[in-house]
C-alpha cells in the first residue's frame, strides 16, 4: 500500500486520518490496524460485521477471478475505461471492488491514478491487493466506507449496493460516480438454461439525492463459452444461490453456452 493511496483512508472508529506506520495503519487517536501480508487492512467496524465471514465466499470470488482473467468481459472493461478517461480521475474509489480485475484494468488504462478499493469479502480484498499492489485495499462496506470526506474525484460502483449518502460524502463537489448495472438481456442465455421461465432484468431510470445524471452509455456483446468457463460464470453470479436444483443440474450438463452480455453505465455528478 503506497503512502499516497493510504492517505485516502479514514479510521473506522473515530473517522480520523490513517497513516502507514510500519506494518500497520494508525490514526492520531492511537487506533491501529494491522496490514496483512498482501498489504490490505481490515477497516470494517465490528458492529457492521453481520456475519462471521461477510461478502462473497471464496468459491464465488475465485470463479470471478478466473472468468475475468480469461478476458470474457474485456469489451465491457474497455467501455468503462473510456468513460472514466473522459472524467477527472486523479483519485479513484471502487466501492465493492471485488477481486480487483476492474481495478487492474483501469489503473493501467488511466495512467496510474491514486486508487482505493474496498469490499466486504476478505478473500476478494486479498486477491485485489495482490493484483494491484499500487492501490490501497481494505475490507469495508459501502454504508460505512473507510474513505475520507471529499477525497474522490471518481467513484465506481459496479453491480454493488447504492449507498448514496456515503458516495456523496466520499466524492468532492463536482466529482463523478459511474454506476454499472446490467442491461435487460445481460446473461439471458444463462437464465434460459437455469429457469423454466427466464426473465429480463429490470431497466429503470432512478434519481438519487445529491446527484445529477449526466450520461448513460451501454456496452453489449455476445459470449460463447465452453468447458469450465460455463461453470465459472454461473458460480460468480447471484444465480448460483438463487437457482432451483433442477436448473443447476441442467447447467452442470452444459458443455457450451451462448449468452448476451451488457452493462449500462450511468454517470452521475455530485451536486
Amino acid at each position: 500500500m503506497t503512502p499516497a493511496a493510504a492517505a485516502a483512508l479514514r479510521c473506522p472508529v473515530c473517522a480520523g486520518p490513517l497513516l502507514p506506520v510500519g506494518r500497520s495503519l494508525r490514526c492520531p487517536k492511537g487506533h491501529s490496524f494491522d496490514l496483512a501480508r498482501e498489504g490490505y487492512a481490515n477497516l470494517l467496524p465490528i458492529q457492521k460485521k453481520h456475519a462471521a465471514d461477510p461478502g462473497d465466499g471464496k468459491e464465488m470470488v475465485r470463479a470471478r477471478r478466473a472468468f475475468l482473467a480469461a478476458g470474457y468481459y474485456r469489451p465491457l472493461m474497455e467501455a468503462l475505461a473510456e468513460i472514466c478517461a473522459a472524467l477527472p480521475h486523479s483519485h479513484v474509489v471502487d466501492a465493492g471492488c471485488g477481486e480487483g480485475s476492474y481495478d487492474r484494468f483501469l489503473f493501467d488504462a488511466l495512467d496510474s491514478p491514486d486508487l482505493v478499493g474496498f469490499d466486504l469479502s476478505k478473500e476478494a480484498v486479498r486477491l485485489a491487493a495482490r493484483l494491484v499492489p499500487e492501490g490501497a485495499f481494505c475490507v469495508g462496506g459501502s454504508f460505512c466506507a473507510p474513505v475520507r470526506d471529499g477525497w474522490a474525484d471518481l467513484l465506481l460502483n459496479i453491480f454493488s449496493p447504492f449507498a448514496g449518502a456515503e458516495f456523496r460524502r466520499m466524492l468532492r463537489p463536482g466529482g463523478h460516480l459511474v454506476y454499472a448495472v446490467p442491461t435487460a438481456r445481460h446473461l439471458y442465455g444463462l437464465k434460459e438454461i437455469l429457469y423454466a421461465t427466464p426473465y429480463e432484468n429490470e431497466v429503470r431510470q432512478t434519481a438519487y439525492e445529491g446527484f445529477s445524471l449526466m450520461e448513460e452509455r451501454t456496452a453489449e456483446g455476445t459470449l460463447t463459452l465452453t468447458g469450465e468457463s460455463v461453470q465459472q460464470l454461473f458460480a460468480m453470479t447471484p444465480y448460483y444461490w438463487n437457482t432451483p436444483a433442477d436448473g443447476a443440474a441442467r447447467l452442470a450438463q452444459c458443455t457450451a453456452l451462448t449468452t448476451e452480455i451488457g452493462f449500462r453505465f450511468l454517470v452521475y455528478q455530485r451536486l
Side-chain angles (χ1 to χ4, degrees), residues 172-242:
R172 64 168 175 78
H176 293 86
L177 163 68
V178 179
Y179 184 26
V181 296
T183 57
R185 302 278 297 185
H186 180 59
L187 300 184
Y188 193 82
L190 176 64
K191 289 189 281 190
E192 285 183 305
I193 297 172
L194 296 178
Y195 304 119
T197 306
Y199 59 91
E200 293 190 349
N201 301 309
E202 182 181 7
V203 175
R204 58 182 178 179
Q205 295 287 359
T206 303
Y208 295 103
E209 183 180 355
F211 289 97
S212 175
L213 180 64
M214 306 298 293
E215 178 188 1
E216 176 178 340
R217 194 180 305 184
T218 299
E220 296 175 303
T222 301
L223 287 183
T224 296
L225 306 174
T226 59
E228 190 177 7
S229 60
V230 175
Q231 298 305 319
Q232 288 169 348
L233 174 63
F234 179 44
M236 77 181 223
T237 70
Y239 309 129
Y240 186 76
W241 306 108
N242 301 317

Side-chain angles (χ1 to χ4, degrees), residues 140-169:
S142 290
F143 294 92
C144 52
V147 177
R148 294 191 196 184
D149 295 0
W151 182 84
D153 300 308
L154 177 62
L155 192 147
L156 310 175
N157 184 31
I158 302 171
F159 285 23
S160 292
F162 195 96
E166 282 291 84
F167 292 171
R168 290 194 305 274
R169 181 186 65 75

